[in-house]
Amino acid sequence: MKNSTAPAPPRLRSENRLGSLPARMLSGDLYQQKNQVKIGILLILMAFSGAWFYYTNTLIARLESHEEEEVRLYAESLEYALTSPVETDVNFFFDKVVKINTEIPVIYEYQGQYQAKNIVEPENPAEKIAFLKQKAQEFETAHPPIEIDGGLGKGYIYFSHSFLFTQLQYYPVMMLLGLLVFGYLAYLAFSASRRSEQNRVWVGLAKETAHQLGTPLSGLKGWVEYFKTDPDRYETEFVLEVEKDVERLETITARFSNIGSVPTLHPEPLAQHVEQFVDYLKRRVSSKIKWNVNNEIPAGKMIPVNRNLFEWVVENLCKNAVDAMEGIGELRIHLWEKAGQTYIDISDTGKGIPKSQWKQVFNPGFSTKKRGWGLGLTLAKRIIENYHRGRLFVKASEPGKGTTFRITLPS
């Protein structure tokens, strides 16, 4: 007997039926652990750097003290030579008493006369005095001069740090920069290798899933054709809805097959496809969602896309919007063109996203739902930006008021 009414199509759930605990363990907890490892490595690097700086600064302080003591010994010896009752060849003593000092720049000033050691001086005598006087003033800003009794008046010893000391000051910084560069390059190499391995796993899993779906899909298509042969027994509307769901499964299978391959883009009436897909979703999500589609793209406008993958993006964004509104609210889709670009805004009146998380929502494993793997937006962004050379980002969001995702595509 023919049924009087066709059964209502089942509502699609945007969340899988996996238990919340395993899903969270494999998504959020996995990436939380990853972040904890990064923080741990960073803390270890900071501790190592702090210890390295402390040890190097200790050596620098000891070297500075040693150089100052050496200059003081120089000053005391010179003072002794100048005040000694025994006639002394001062110039000879000045050159030989601290012969071991071959690096510390020293200037001796006595009654307007200047003598220097370990300083490259001009050959012209007039320029030499002015040069040493300027150098003495520079040395005085770093170290107070050492006063000595020259017998007939006061003299002063001006000094600066050796070239070795200056090099040692910059050594820990250069060492740390070298470690950072090496660590960054090692991190890039490790991340690239890990991403490549993850991509191979996901691609293999996706293609195997598509392959496994092929067999039951063939059986379902056979059953649909069988239902069509007996319209008196099976309600036509019921058969059409089942056929749509089977086609939907075929589309999903095609999407999984395309993962890991370079998809082919074809000129498509994008706006028309979006409207048709929205009509399909309307009957399969909460009836308390108000849909509003504002299409400003000219009829028949063709845009190069991969239809299966692009519909996947729209589906993910719409289902996330429904989840954010908890099944009650308004979902707005706005399509328009400007300056050679096609824009699609998908807005909801849900709980919104804090601005600090606008970029994090596209990270693998990031999910605010009790169920879910946190991969929908990651795949959507990859499909738009890697395959369609467009952009997908959070255009606007405010907690408690809603979120707008924007898709841009080259026209």
Side-chain angles (χ1 to χ4, degrees):
M1 179 179 295
K2 187 176 180 179
N3 295 328
S4 58
T5 58
R11 301 287 180 185
L12 293 179
R13 292 184 61 88
S14 59
E15 300 173 349
N16 58 49
R17 292 185 177 274
L18 293 176
S20 59
L21 180 59
R24 297 301 294 176
M25 289 177 63
L26 292 174
S27 57
D29 291 349
L30 175 63
Y31 288 92
Q32 287 177 4
Q33 292 175 4
K34 178 182 174 182
N35 290 333
Q36 291 174 357
V37 170
K38 289 182 178 179
I39 294 174
I41 293 176
L42 180 61
L43 291 176
I44 292 174
L45 179 61
M46 292 177 62
F48 174 79
S49 301
W52 179 265
F53 270 97
Y54 175 77
Y55 177 72
T56 308
N57 286 335
T58 301
L59 294 180
I60 292 173
R62 291 175 61 184
L63 179 60
E64 182 178 25
S65 177
H66 174 74
E67 289 187 350
E68 290 180 357
E69 187 65 27
E70 189 172 336
V71 173
R72 291 188 181 279
L73 176 62
Y74 179 95
E76 291 175 3
S77 301
L78 184 58
E79 183 179 41
Y80 173 78
L82 294 174
T83 58
S84 175
V86 181
E87 184 177 351
T88 306
D89 186 348
V90 177
N91 290 331
F92 174 82
F93 184 85
F94 185 80
D95 289 335
K96 301 299 182 179
V97 69
V98 284
K99 187 176 180 179
I100 59 172
N101 174 26
T102 59
E103 294 187 354
I104 303 175
V106 177
I107 298 175
Y108 170 55
E109 185 267 325
Y110 180 69
Q111 295 184 348
Q113 299 298 316
Y114 291 87
Q115 298 185 53
K117 185 175 178 63
N118 301 325
I119 296 178
V120 180
E121 308 172 41
E123 296 182 359
N124 189 318
E127 294 179 357
K128 176 180 178 181
I129 295 176
F131 173 78
L132 292 179
K133 186 176 182 179
Q134 180 182 357
K135 278 290 183 183
Q137 292 175 352
E138 293 177 3
F139 290 174
E140 187 176 3
T141 59
H143 301 280
I146 300 175
E147 182 180 299
I148 63 174
D149 184 3
L152 299 177
K154 299 294 183 180
Y156 297 92
I157 296 291
Y158 301 89
F159 67 98
S160 181
H161 291 303
S162 65
F163 181 67
L164 175 63
F165 179 85
T166 304
Q167 284 184 313
L168 189 59
Q169 280 185 312
Y170 292 107
Y171 175 71
V173 177
M174 299 302 297
M175 186 68 177
L176 180 60
L177 288 177
L179 287 174
L180 290 176
V181 171
F182 176 78
Y184 180 67
L185 293 177
Y187 174 77
L188 289 181
F190 174 76
S191 297
S193 175
R194 181 174 52 82
R195 282 196 301 268
S196 178
E197 182 179 357
Q198 289 178 347
N199 287 337
R200 288 195 297 269
V201 172
W202 285 111
V203 169
L205 178 61
K207 291 187 177 296
E208 179 63 20
T209 301
H211 176 72
Q212 294 295 334
L213 286 173
T215 301
L217 264 178
S218 299
L220 289 174
K221 290 176 68 176
W223 280 108
V224 170
E225 294 301 322
Y226 173 75
F227 294 154
K228 289 181 178 179
T229 61
D230 193 354
D232 293 332
R233 183 176 180 183
Y234 302 105
E235 179 70 33
T236 302
E237 185 178 356
F238 163 76
V239 175
L240 291 177
E241 291 298 331
V242 172
E243 186 176 26
K244 288 181 182 179
D245 287 334
V246 172
E247 292 174 352
R248 181 69 182 160
L249 286 174
E250 286 185 311
T251 300
I252 294 173
T253 303
R255 291 173 180 173
F256 279 111
S257 297
N258 286 332
I259 292 180
S261 304
V262 179
T264 303
L265 306 183
H266 298 285
E268 300 277 358
L270 183 63
Q272 180 181 345
H273 288 331
V274 171
E275 291 180 346
Q276 291 175 351
F277 186 69
V278 167
D279 288 337
Y280 174 84
L281 284 179
K282 282 181 181 179
R283 303 190 64 188
R284 288 162 174 80
V285 297
S286 173
S287 59
K288 297 180 181 179
I289 296 295
K290 180 182 178 182
W291 295 76
N292 185 350
V293 180
N294 181 14
N295 178 23
E296 298 180 12
I297 298 178
K301 174 70 176 182
M302 307 297 282
I303 299 172
V305 294
N306 182 287
R307 180 176 178 179
N308 287 334
L309 293 180
F310 186 79
E311 286 183 354
W312 195 354
V313 173
V314 175
E315 178 183 351
N316 271 308
L317 294 177
C318 288
K319 288 182 177 180
N320 281 342
V322 173
D323 289 335
M325 296 183 289
E326 297 182 348
I328 302 175
E330 181 180 5
L331 199 158
R332 300 180 298 275
I333 301 178
H334 183 200
L335 302 91
W336 80 99
E337 283 188 316
K338 183 180 179 181
Q341 295 283 324
T342 299
Y343 296 88
I344 304 174
D345 283 355
I346 299 178
S347 307
D348 62 64
T349 56
K351 56 188 177 182
I353 305 171
K355 193 168 185 178
S356 60
Q357 296 180 356
W358 284 13
K359 292 184 178 180
Q360 296 181 28
V361 295
F362 297 102
N363 292 339
F366 184 90
S367 177
T368 58
K369 298 182 290 187
K370 293 182 180 180
R371 301 181 180 89
W373 299 90
L375 295 175
L377 289 177
T378 304
L379 292 174
K381 189 175 182 67
R382 178 172 181 174
I383 290 169
I384 293 298
E385 298 187 355
N386 293 4
Y387 295 158
H388 291 82
R389 301 183 302 278
R391 289 186 64 205
L392 170 60
F393 58 96
V394 179
K395 177 63 174 61
S397 185
E398 186 174 349
K401 293 188 176 181
T403 301
T404 297
F405 284 90
R406 172 167 290 181
I407 302 172
T408 64
L409 296 172
S411 298

